[in-house]
Amino acid sequence: MRRSLVAVVAVLVALLAGCSGGEQPAGAPGAPAGDGTFPVTVPTAFGDVTVPQAPQRVVALGWSDAETALALGVQPVGASDWLAVGGDGLGPWVTQRYTTPPQKLGTLEVDLEQVAALQPDLILDTRASGTRERHDQLAQLGVPVVGIPAGGENYLTPWRDQLRMVGAALGKSQEAARLQSELENRFAQARQQNPALNGATVVSGAKNTLGEYAAYVGRTGRVEFLRELGLVNSPAVEAVPTENFSVPVSRERMNLLDARVTIMQAISGNAADITGDPLWGTVPSVAAGRGIVLDDQALSNAFASSSVPGQLYALDRMVAPIAAAVAKP
């Protein structure tokens, strides 16, 4: 990224002459109207960002930023495919589709020349590494960059914050509030229909291609989804000190995956890598029939997306098996 920065900025100066907006110091005045009127100011971890007018060419770089924008009726011209869905980057859980597929962009590393060539007037990066270096490089392109929220952590922006920030930046706050209410109502309905979920412990984990297991900690999107259903992340997992998204589970500590229900998904692998693993069967909850392996890749990705569309899709397909598992002795 750094290598091409000077040239890219020069290109953008030519392309975006007259473009205004960008950061203001944190706390600067400016009401986040976000109801279709502009300018609008969005607070972020790197200060308040002002979007001067309704964006026409949005680049969505953060995890699920593109499908969040789409859910609000805005089609990005460039997008990152964090879940490696392929094609236009949209899985079947996204009901809104592109009329013109976006330029596919990088995830961990972004090619600034590619971004510049898209002539963006807004960059969304609400769920990404959240580093100052990444933000500053993007910000030098001279367009508003809406990064992670104040107090946010890398890749851990909660779905409500992402929806609120993207909605405000696009002037779609009312639509964002409607989507939030729709999803919250669906969670409430699921809790009401399945009271046994309330307080039941859960482990949400993954197995990678090296055969290593891990359990996600409470501040991740997957566990946030389960918590919305009334489930409680395993206290044993939460007790393991970590600053990462998950804690490793060694072959000798497979009991760490035990809970009232244990949910596992394969990362860049197949569900059979889990179900065929004798170690998986040694987990007490799995031996008791309370283990769930996500063998549908679309569902696994939707669950991981932590977007409104992804969670709605996952709700339709995960609540029943989770409730059935919890009900087992």
Side-chain angles (χ1 to χ4, degrees):
M1 292 173 68
R2 191 177 297 166
R3 183 177 53 200
S4 59
L5 181 59
V6 173
V8 170
V9 169
V11 171
L12 265 190
V13 168
L15 292 174
L16 305 177
C19 179
S20 59
E23 290 182 40
Q24 296 178 358
D35 57 357
T37 60
F38 287 87
V40 64
T41 299
V42 184
T44 78
F46 307 105
D48 291 353
V49 176
T50 296
V51 183
Q53 56 193 7
Q56 303 298 313
R57 299 187 62 79
V58 177
V59 165
L61 297 178
W63 185 295
S64 296
D65 278 341
E67 58 191 71
T68 300
L70 270 170
L72 295 170
V74 173
Q75 299 187 28
V77 296
S80 301
D81 183 11
W82 285 92
L83 292 168
V85 173
D88 60 7
L90 299 179
W93 62 91
V94 183
T95 56
Q96 300 83 4
R97 313 306 293 186
Y98 292 106
T99 53
T100 301
Q103 172 71 49
K104 299 286 284 294
L105 301 168
T107 53
L108 296 175
E109 295 290 336
V110 180
D111 186 329
L112 292 184
E113 290 184 348
Q114 275 190 314
V115 176
L118 292 170
Q119 302 180 46
D121 53 10
L122 174 67
I123 296 175
L124 300 172
D125 202 34
T126 71
R127 191 187 284 158
S129 68
T131 64
R132 168 63 74 176
E133 179 184 20
R134 175 176 169 113
H135 173 268
D136 287 351
Q137 289 174 339
L138 292 171
Q140 288 186 60
L141 297 182
V143 297
V145 179
V146 179
I148 66 172
E153 298 179 69
N154 57 347
Y155 303 107
L156 295 176
T157 301
W159 69 267
R160 287 182 179 82
D161 286 345
Q162 181 180 48
L163 180 61
R164 172 181 51 78
M165 297 174 77
V166 173
L170 299 177
K172 302 278 188 179
S173 284
Q174 291 183 2
E175 288 89 338
R178 182 187 59 76
L179 286 178
Q180 178 175 330
S181 179
E182 177 185 353
L183 181 53
E184 288 175 341
N185 288 338
R186 289 287 304 280
F187 276 123
Q189 183 181 39
R191 290 194 299 271
Q192 183 179 29
Q193 294 174 344
N194 301 279
L197 299 186
N198 187 38
T201 58
V202 65
V203 166
S204 175
K207 183 181 183 184
N208 64 23
T209 54
L210 298 177
E212 300 165 332
Y213 288 91
Y216 292 107
V217 297
R219 58 187 185 277
T220 57
R222 294 171 178 84
V223 176
E224 183 184 19
F225 172 92
L226 297 166
R227 193 165 53 244
E228 297 271 11
L229 293 172
L231 296 154
V232 176
N233 203 35
S234 165
V237 171
E238 289 299 306
V240 179
T242 183
E243 295 183 355
N244 297 322
F245 315 134
S246 61
V247 296
V249 179
S250 66
R251 299 172 60 90
E252 294 75 21
R253 294 196 66 195
M254 290 298 283
N255 277 2
L256 191 58
L257 296 176
D258 186 35
R260 190 64 201 165
V261 59
T262 302
I263 302 170
M264 192 62 57
Q265 59 189 125
I267 303 298
S268 301
N270 300 312
D273 297 335
I274 300 170
T275 56
D277 184 353
L279 272 179
W280 170 244
T282 66
V283 179
S285 53
V286 176
R290 291 183 274 107
I292 297 173
V293 176
L294 300 182
D295 56 3
D296 180 326
Q297 190 60 49
L299 175 57
S300 183
N301 282 340
F303 182 45
S305 74
S306 300
S307 67
V308 171
Q311 292 183 92
L312 288 171
Y313 186 92
L315 272 170
D316 286 339
R317 293 159 178 81
M318 289 184 65
V319 172
I322 291 173
V326 169
K328 291 183 178 178

